[in-house]
Amino acid sequence: MEGNLEHIANTVERLQGGGITVSIFVDPDPAQVKAAKEAGSDSIEIHTGLYAEAKTEKDQRAEYKKIVEAAQLAQNLGLRVNAGHGLNYKNVKPIASIPGIEELNIGHSIVARAVLVGMERAVKEMKELLK
Amino acid sequence: MAVKLGVNIDHVATVREARKTVEPEPIAAAVLAELGGADGITIHLRADRRHIKDRDLRLLRQVVKTKLNLEMAATEGMIKIALEVKPDQVTLVPEKPNEVTTE
């Protein structure tokens, strides 16, 4: 997002002018969270891909901490917080428990499970994990 | 309060596009996801239209009763489509030609 903040801010304003809520997909990086705020966004969606793909527990803990801190910063700035990318039935619970995260966007793992058990059941099972 | 779940159905369209045919139907997937308790439906309309198509977005706008979240790049063409179709939310995402993602 760096370098084209003006373009993003203009886009956000036009979309909001049409009555659309705007979120910006960002890495769990304080600079990107602040840039989303500067661009006038209503929300951010924190990229959980590095957390999901971490090969060691240590790496995963480090990525998790970044997500927690980004969520906290965003809340302090008055942004609403969503998260997503790479989340599945095994790794979703710690992310779902982070204070301030309102919504998770999950695609691949649910569609993959839906192929085997059906979409309705796949969604129900994920919802159970978010309780 | 429990965290909400937005279900991204891009890969239902990916299977359809594997054969350039009409099934599986992403609109049906969205309805079933809502019946399963989804709080929202998310799709990414990409510049190359590799999975979700414009007709999917337009039909989903009429069918989705929860919240329709459109992921898109901040291009002029996409902004015009969003302002016309009016999803509940737009999530601005970077888009690179070779990335493998639903997001």
Side-chain angles (χ1 to χ4, degrees):
Chain A
M1 192 160 62
E2 296 86 355
N4 61 352
L5 189 64
E6 198 177 327
H7 171 66
I8 297 294
N10 179 262
T11 301
V12 170
E13 194 179 359
R14 287 172 67 191
L15 292 168
Q16 287 171 337
I20 300 167
T21 300
V22 181
S23 183
I24 300 180
F25 197 57
V26 297
D27 293 327
D29 164 12
Q32 290 194 27
V33 175
K34 286 177 196 159
K37 177 65 182 177
E38 278 177 49
S41 195
D42 302 292
S43 313
I44 55 165
E45 177 166 337
I46 300 174
H47 193 319
T48 52
L50 289 177
Y51 160 84
E53 289 155 20
K55 295 278 183 273
T56 66
E57 263 185 50
K58 183 169 172 267
D59 287 354
Q60 192 163 50
R61 271 198 302 274
E63 290 303 326
Y64 184 74
K65 186 162 175 277
K66 286 186 204 167
I67 295 166
V68 171
E69 289 170 359
Q72 185 62 53
L73 172 63
Q75 279 191 96
N76 292 345
L77 294 172
L79 291 162
R80 302 182 75 167
V81 188
N82 307 317
H85 195 100
L87 298 177
N88 60 39
Y89 296 83
K90 288 186 176 137
N91 66 20
V92 75
K93 267 191 167 281
I95 299 294
S97 72
I98 294 173
I101 293 186
E102 292 184 35
E103 185 171 313
L104 301 179
N105 276 303
I106 307 180
H108 183 89
S109 63
I110 291 177
V111 173
R113 184 137 183 83
V115 170
L116 304 178
V117 305
M119 179 60 89
E120 194 175 345
R121 182 169 147 194
V123 173
K124 268 185 189 154
E125 289 177 0
M126 184 60 80
K127 282 285 287 185
E128 280 298 314
L129 295 172
L130 303 186
K131 279 183 180 167
Chain B
M1 207 179 76
V3 65
K4 289 182 178 168
L5 175 61
V7 176
N8 183 314
I9 58 169
D10 288 352
H11 283 336
V12 176
T14 300
V15 175
R16 177 188 64 192
E17 295 310 314
R19 280 286 174 90
K20 303 284 177 206
T21 178
V22 296
E23 63 182 7
E25 173 57 79
I27 316 307
V31 171
L32 288 168
E34 287 190 329
L35 285 171
D39 300 293
I41 300 296
T42 294
I43 51 169
H44 187 171
L45 186 63
R46 301 185 65 107
D48 63 10
R49 304 297 197 270
R50 65 172 72 161
H51 39 52
I52 292 292
K53 310 289 184 195
D54 298 65
R55 64 78 80 178
D56 299 324
L57 169 65
R58 289 169 199 282
L59 287 171
L60 286 167
R61 175 62 294 178
Q62 295 180 49
V63 168
V64 168
K65 299 290 189 293
T66 51
K67 169 180 159 182
L68 182 62
N69 176 33
L70 171 63
E71 297 180 340
M72 59 175 237
T75 61
E76 190 55 35
M78 283 308 311
I79 295 165
K80 283 192 175 135
I81 290 170
L83 287 171
E84 188 200 328
V85 179
K86 293 197 188 290
D88 299 289
Q89 177 173 299
V90 161
T91 300
L92 296 173
V93 297
E95 218 171 86
K96 300 174 210 95
N98 295 320
E99 74 188 330
V100 179
T101 175
T102 63
E103 306 293 350

